[in-house]
Amino acid sequence: GAGVSQSPRYKVAKRGQDVALRCDPISGHVSLFWYQQALGQGPEFLTYFQNEAQLDKSGLPSDRFFAERPEGSVSTLKIQRTQQEDSAVYLCASSLNGLEKLFFGSGTQLSVL
Amino acid sequence: DQQVKQNSPSLSVQEGRISILNCDYTNSMFDYFLWYKKYPAEGPTFLISISSIKDKNEDGRFTVFLNKSAKHLSLHIVPSQPGDSAVYFCAATAGTASKLTFGTGTRLQVTL
């Protein structure tokens, strides 16, 4: 497809369960970002990749959060031992380079029960 | 610490009239500002941006104004159309930073 694709669209997890969220960026896009959007809030930065290199992970809220982009294309955001406060929409975005004109996916809505 | 603030959670405007969405920021290092539009169940879509070296940028029906001394920017939509009904996010970044800082959004409803 032409846009950023995220899967699954919805994920329900029991507290303590591990989850993995996938992002397929637009082909050829060097930069990839993950954001977390809680209900009623704006997106909050989690982490940034340039190709396969994770250049900024300052927004990851705890060491339970881990992201990778091993071949510089598809990225996975993994959350271990999920907690209720992890419930949010997780947005992936990509761009040709940097912050100009980010293209966002539709997000994965994570609900932790 | 909310560095980008959108103090109006919602706004209702009649079709054909002007919509003005406001955004304030506190970080004086911010030098590039963007507006995103978000429909339900979709990701945000880039709308328009402005660099701190300018005070106005226009793209069709959309104009963004920047007042650096007041740390304030606004998005004007003229004329407003029903398809403009969405949540609008203001975002900012500083220098070579790798992240955007978003406001909490303003829900715009354009009525017939």
Side-chain angles (χ1 to χ4, degrees), chain B residues 1-86:
Chain B
D1 176 29
Q2 196 73 28
Q3 296 187 63
V4 177
K5 300 177 185 179
Q6 294 177 257
N7 292 318
S8 298
S10 63
L11 175 68
S12 183
V13 172
Q14 269 191 327
E15 181 181 12
R17 307 291 284 265
I18 183 171
S19 295
I20 300 176
L21 295 96
N22 294 302
C23 177
D24 297 291
Y25 61 96
T26 57
N27 188 341
S28 57
M29 299 300 291
F30 286 149
D31 59 3
Y32 191 65
F33 305 88
L34 308 92
W35 285 93
Y36 279 81
K37 173 179 176 180
K38 186 181 182 304
Y39 292 119
E42 294 183 13
T45 303
F46 170 77
L47 204 54
I48 192 169
S49 62
I50 188 166
S51 164
S52 60
I53 62 173
K54 294 186 173 182
D55 54 18
K56 176 183 174 181
N57 189 24
E58 192 171 351
D59 183 1
R61 296 186 297 114
F62 302 92
T63 303
V64 56
F65 295 92
L66 175 63
N67 182 334
K68 289 187 290 293
S69 60
K71 293 192 177 69
H72 177 83
L73 62 156
S74 60
L75 174 68
H76 292 210
I77 307 173
V78 184
S80 300
Q81 299 174 355
D84 296 330
S85 297

Side-chain angles (χ1 to χ4, degrees), chain A residues 9 33 35 37 40-43 45 48 56 58 91 99-102 104-106, chain B residues 2 32 34 36 38 41-46 89 93 97-100 102-104:
Chain A
R9 185 71 183 88
F33 305 81
Y35 282 80
Q37 186 175 13
Q41 301 297 313
F45 172 79
Y48 161 58
D56 188 346
S58 62
L91 294 164
L99 290 173
E100 291 230 26
K101 293 198 177 179
L102 294 191
F104 281 85
S106 298
Chain B
Q2 196 73 28
Y32 191 65
L34 308 92
Y36 279 81
K38 186 181 182 304
E42 294 183 13
T45 303
F46 170 77
F89 290 98
T93 189
S98 55
K99 65 177 185 180
L100 295 178
F102 284 84
T104 53

Side-chain angles (χ1 to χ4, degrees), chain A residues 13 15 21-22 27 31 34 36 50 65 75 78 87 90-91 93 101 103:
Chain A
R15 192 171 56 183
L21 313 180
R22 177 187 169 106
S27 178
S31 300
W34 283 97
Q36 179 191 59
Q50 184 154 325
F65 286 71
S75 177
K78 297 179 180 177
S87 296
Y90 290 84
L91 294 164
K101 293 198 177 179
F103 290 85

